[in-house]
Amino acid sequence: MPRPFRRAARPAPAALLSGAPAAVLALALLAATPAVAVAPPLSDPRIVAHFDIAQHLQPENIAVEPDGSVDLTFSFARQVGRVDPGGRLTVLATLPEPAHPATPVLGHAAVSGLVRAHDGTLYFGYATGTADLTGIWRLCPGGAPERIAALPADSLPNGLALDAPAGVLYSSDSALGLVWTVPLDGGAPAVWSDDALLKPVSAFGANGLKVHRGAVWVGNTDTGSLLRIPVRPDGAAGPAEVRADGLAGLDDFAFVGPGDDLLAALNPASEVVHLGPDGSRHTVLDAADGLSNPTAVGIGGDTVYVPSAAYFTMADPNLLAATLER
């Protein structure tokens, strides 16, 4: 369970996690061998950037720019930033701080899921537990952040995905255990799926989310299940089905290609696993490669990027890159 947020040297764990106690995870990290553990289809892991945990720079979600830069949300800093190919961080926006945050599960404000449109506009979720700020926000190039859709104060928007042809954003809600749709141009959100498989058990239900091959794929962190929800011809949601389970601490994920194989971040375990369409799975990155509670996976060309938030280890939030062997 997440701990209360503290301003001093112990920021709270992630906006999306439940799992093993922090002490156990820290011991596991210390016990990791220094040997590189990377496995196919990844190779050559390297840390692109290290972040200052004292400033709450703990990366939560990711979008890859065409030039190889990486956009990140920093949950507890309430910021959106960009890391250039040289590893330099520029803060693009800082979200307004609520006077009395009361975010479900967390208790404090957190910036969450992030997607990039083709014109460079960034969309992201912001959860504060207050009606004036919680919702989906937009950042146009060179502009200021603005809320385009209000979500209920008791919601926890987390994963975010863009269906550009349909003109909609999909947002998972970890507290209420559902998926919202939001018009890309802004407006009233609607509950798209309220399937029982999306519900939280103890803390975080629906989390990582992607639109892929006629379906919305969602990870449930509490149950460790990867779900596929078909999009019907009229745009409505079909029934959710479990495509993989046993993925403890499942956070966000990314599809490797046109098929259904993907890379998924397992946050408390500090692992990234490869899931094959045939149900096969194996670990491709772990703490020995530099992971410290990974939160998401981003892919740009033949490079895979993995942000680590150190929500439980409390050590070395960073951005890792690895080469994807296609």
Side-chain angles (χ1 to χ4, degrees):
M1 295 290 290
R3 296 167 296 193
F5 181 66
R6 292 176 172 82
R7 282 286 175 194
R10 291 181 60 85
L16 47 81
L17 302 187
S18 60
V24 173
L25 294 167
L27 287 173
L29 180 64
L30 291 172
T33 66
V36 173
V38 67
L42 301 185
S43 64
D44 187 27
R46 62 271 186 195
I47 301 298
V48 175
H50 298 272
F51 305 113
D52 187 354
I53 197 168
Q55 296 183 27
H56 311 305
L57 291 176
Q58 296 167 274
E60 171 65 20
N61 213 253
I62 186 169
V64 181
E65 293 281 339
D67 68 353
S69 299
V70 174
D71 302 320
L72 298 166
T73 51
F74 292 95
S75 54
F76 301 140
R78 312 186 325 277
Q79 291 179 333
V80 180
R82 178 169 296 159
V83 176
D84 68 20
R88 292 174 290 272
L89 171 64
T90 300
V91 175
L92 302 178
T94 300
L95 276 292
E97 184 174 11
H100 302 287
T103 308
V105 184
L106 301 175
H108 57 276
V111 184
S112 54
L114 175 70
V115 293
R116 179 189 186 277
H118 289 301
D119 64 357
T121 300
L122 299 176
Y123 298 86
F124 49 92
Y126 187 35
T128 66
T130 62
D132 60 326
L133 294 173
T134 299
I136 305 302
W137 289 63
R138 174 174 61 199
L139 179 64
C140 296
E146 58 178 335
R147 187 171 70 161
I148 63 169
L151 290 172
D154 62 349
S155 68
L156 179 51
N158 206 331
L160 191 66
L162 167 63
D163 185 345
V168 298
L169 294 157
Y170 292 90
S171 174
S172 62
D173 190 323
S174 292
L176 300 180
L178 49 82
V179 175
W180 299 93
T181 53
V182 172
L184 190 58
D185 293 332
V191 175
W192 183 72
S193 177
D194 193 19
D195 197 285
L197 293 176
L198 298 168
K199 302 302 176 183
V201 176
S202 60
F204 297 96
N207 191 339
L209 183 150
K210 292 291 182 291
V211 176
H212 178 71
R213 296 182 63 189
V216 175
W217 297 63
V218 187
N220 184 317
T221 298
D222 274 356
T223 63
S225 300
L226 177 67
L227 311 174
R228 180 184 183 275
I229 307 175
V231 180
R232 290 174 169 161
D234 63 356
E241 59 176 336
V242 176
R243 295 300 297 266
D245 56 16
L247 301 169
L250 174 62
D251 207 317
D252 212 343
F253 52 91
F255 288 92
V256 175
D260 290 346
D261 56 322
L262 57 86
L263 297 168
L266 305 186
N267 192 312
S270 291
E271 293 181 352
V272 169
V273 297
H274 178 266
L275 301 179
D278 60 354
S280 62
R281 67 183 70 177
H282 66 281
T283 299
V284 295
L285 294 168
D286 66 14
D289 300 301
L291 296 185
S292 185
N293 304 140
T295 51
V297 179
I299 299 177
D302 62 355
T303 303
V304 171
Y305 299 94
V306 182
S308 284
Y311 289 130
F312 289 104
T313 65
M314 302 303 296
D316 191 27
N318 64 62
L319 176 64
L320 178 148
T323 300
L324 176 62
E325 302 167 357
R326 295 185 183 273

